[in-house]
Amino acid sequence: MEELLGAKQLGDDQTAVKKSVQNYYGEELKDQNDLKTSACKTCIPPPKEIRQYLKEVPKEVLVKFYGCGTPLPLGITGLRVLDLGSGSGRDCYVASRLVGENGSVTGIDMTPSQLEVANRHLEAYTRDVLKYSKPNMRFIQGEIEYLDKAGIPDESQDLVISNCVINLSPDKARVLQQVYRVLAPGGEMYFSDVYCDRRLPYELRTHPVLLGECLGGALYINDFIRLCHQVGFTDPRRLSIEPISVDDPELKEVVGEARFYSITYRLFKVPGRLETLCEDYGQVAVYKGTIPGHRHAYDLDDHHRFVANKPMLVCGNTASMVAENGWPPTSQFQGTAMSTTASLTAVGLPPARLRHPDLQLTVLEGPAAELTAPGLGKEPPTTACMVLKSDDAVLEQGLNKVPKLLSKEFFQQKLYGWC
């Protein structure tokens, strides 16, 4: 983590790293057939709508594009989209259609030859294919670590996408910091990249071919999550994961037992609303089935699948991600996120033991205001907070104290999410 935060994961010379990447993608690779691994190839078929739109993208843009996923969410009409490391512009061209004429798409890349391809077809595509009165996308030369120097203002983007690029950066911490800066509150980063099941040794991280093939700079998955927390993306959500194959015999010998994956993550910027752990506040989400391409169900991530018109209990983080997201309103929520301020030790239970596997607590229903300490009397109104499946004497002793020690401040809050 020290090397990662100090921008030394790929060595001390950032300029040399960037030149190596520019040379690999600008000179070494002529098209996708030159790749030695599946890291820079999209293996999972995108949604049928995206597949149809890709058929309309200029051929030169397609063959010069390298990516490990399809980070192109549907239902983003009118949004401001920024693509990090846009390359030949494939994802930008599709996003240009998805956001509509009133939305905007900006692609940033540091490789001149790739930008030439992207700009070559821009006007004809937006005019003749999309029938827009004027282009709604642009491409600028710059480094993804320095979006400020590239002229991207604070809180100016609703959605940031990226396709197998951040692993190439020598300063990944600064990339995420810049993304957080340019995202408007309620916005998100929706991107695919390469990750590893371990921390790679220095010789693999600086191997020129592995670096160019997006493997050398692959972050250890848990280090990436730690980095997100430090930047402000408190609850990273994984949408999909796919193993990457190393086909070249020499490279396979070099990487040894290291395993690589293409993962699509969603990082939400919801200041002050996301917690480091999911908490249950009794909130219910109902998906209306209105996102294009997701009539029957919608996957927020790999463990939240919303079936249309079916109420689903969600944690406070999930409620905030969807309810305060900058996208069109597609869900309705019942319940309000809140924090429980009562001390765990105040009820006689040490924090480490409160989530005992044999302890079950029933959620108290009804207005919390009715349950105030002065109105409790000598006996508790229910046994909801004293249901025990074991003979654990410590737990039983602590639970017996609950009704006597509950403060008025505590009972003025809804008691959701205790267990």
Side-chain angles (χ1 to χ4, degrees), residues 161-269:
I161 61 176
S162 181
N163 201 337
C164 204
V165 171
I166 296 178
N167 70 85
L168 299 171
S169 171
D171 194 349
K172 297 173 176 61
R174 200 175 202 284
V175 172
L176 290 184
Q177 289 166 358
Q178 285 290 295
V179 169
Y180 194 88
R181 178 185 67 80
V182 304
L183 275 176
E188 74 162 294
M189 184 178 188
Y190 187 114
F191 70 111
S192 301
D193 219 306
V194 177
Y195 299 87
C196 190
D197 66 347
R198 67 198 66 199
R199 293 179 176 133
L200 295 173
Y202 181 80
E203 56 268 23
L204 266 64
R205 286 183 272 135
T206 55
H207 190 289
V209 176
L210 287 179
L211 179 61
E213 293 277 335
C214 300
L215 301 183
L219 279 180
Y220 170 45
I221 296 173
N222 287 344
D223 281 346
F224 166 73
I225 294 174
R226 293 183 182 101
L227 184 59
C228 288
H229 291 168
Q230 293 200 15
V231 169
F233 294 115
T234 312
D235 189 1
R237 294 295 179 92
R238 189 177 73 187
L239 182 61
S240 64
I241 181 171
E242 180 185 14
I244 290 174
S245 63
V246 180
D247 306 317
D248 184 82
E250 293 184 10
L251 289 184
K252 186 177 294 187
E253 180 65 25
V254 171
V255 300
E257 289 298 306
R259 297 292 178 264
F260 299 89
Y261 303 91
S262 169
I263 303 179
T264 297
Y265 274 107
R266 304 182 70 172
L267 309 179
F268 293 86
K269 180 179 179 178

Side-chain angles (χ1 to χ4, degrees), residues 48-115:
K48 63 179 182 179
E49 293 86 356
I50 301 297
R51 295 200 299 271
Q52 182 61 42
Y53 300 154
L54 285 171
K55 294 178 181 178
E56 301 173 340
V57 175
K59 183 177 180 180
E60 184 184 20
V61 172
L62 293 175
V63 298
K64 293 288 291 184
F65 184 82
Y66 311 103
C68 59
T70 310
L72 292 164
L74 298 170
I76 58 174
T77 303
L79 297 195
R80 301 164 295 176
V81 177
L82 174 65
D83 185 3
L84 304 184
S86 52
S88 64
R90 188 202 73 167
D91 288 349
C92 287
Y93 276 70
V94 177
S96 176
R97 173 184 282 278
L98 294 175
V99 301
E101 193 167 5
N102 295 324
S104 67
V105 179
T106 300
I108 180 171
D109 201 277
M110 68 177 183
T111 307
S113 61
Q114 289 283 71
L115 290 169

